[in-house]
Amino acid sequence: MPAWDAPKGALVASPVDAAPTLDGVADEAFWADAEDFVVDVDGGFGGYETKVNIKAVYTTDSVYFLVTYTDPTESWYRYPWVKQEDGTWKQDKDPDDKGGDNNLNYEDKLAFIWPINNSIEKFETKGCYTACHDGENPDLKPYGNKYTAGEGQLGDIWHWKSVRNLNQIDDQYLDWTQFNAETAKEAGRKSDPKESGGYSDNFASMPDPADATKTVPDKTMPGFTSPSIDLTTGAPGYILDSEKVALTKEELDAMPAGTIIPGIVKSEIVGDRGQISAGWVWADGMWTIEFGRLLNTASEFDVEFTDLAAQYFFGIAIFENAQVRHATQTAPSFLVFKPR
């Protein structure tokens, strides 16, 4: 067999015999041997920029990634509930948020976008910028919208959320839907289908004013607590659905002013949306994220790595305690698979 040379500038996935344990520790020997691939991202909120180190390996049926990057703070204080001096409850939000643009009390996130079947025009040269529409409807969404240029152009979004995800990366997709305040507030960003699980806001419930046999969210107070949270800080910033304990009005009233309860209840996602398994650790100013999925998920909303001789383009973004104002790379990257 002739020697194989990787294309210049490629992220190379090396073949391995066994899958890594996706725990954010990355102590398998093959991670040390895997090739480093570094992406510079900048332009995040407050001037945030960093170098993202990516490694990749693959087995006979799955592909795995290791991502590390510097982040001075672990952001988990994602607008929790805080008991006020007058006895009411209020979510601690960014007072400067003018519409889905929280840059104060949020979480750390990471996102990959992969064209599905190479359908996004000009992605190989412009990357994610082909779908960025900054400045649209600035009175409603200060940061703009994301959607592809035309019908049939689809992207696979892998959207890791440090607070809202549990043992998974959120599997989403991008299409050509333009912003509509009533029907498409997220424009082209959508989530893959799911059967159950995921995350939800921690709201109490109350009788539906229109139908007393039903309940609706009561957005004036939290609905659940957990024995695993610190009521003085709100750490770790979420409530596991498996541990949630319903709160009564009397229990909420008895809590002292300053009590903090997380605003998110979460569980693992079941279904297409939950096909990317992951584990992560923040330590000493550094995120370490391990994740992986099947080479072929058989989903119309996913990029499929079925041709191991092909190049797969992608773009990456880092959100440092920011809802939308992410740091990005200036040009796309691409993944190749080293032959066995």
Side-chain angles (χ1 to χ4, degrees), residues 78-79 81 91 164 199-204 219 223-224 262-265:
R78 187 184 182 277
Y79 39 86
W81 290 98
Q91 285 190 282
R164 287 174 289 170
Y199 54 84
S200 60
D201 291 314
N202 182 16
F203 293 141
K219 299 182 179 181
F224 301 95
I264 284 293
V265 179

Side-chain angles (χ1 to χ4, degrees), residues 45 79 92-98 101-105:
F45 181 75
Y79 39 86
D92 196 359
K93 296 187 176 182
D94 184 348
D96 296 324
D97 182 358
K98 299 299 188 294
D101 190 24
N102 190 326
N103 302 294
L104 181 64
N105 302 328

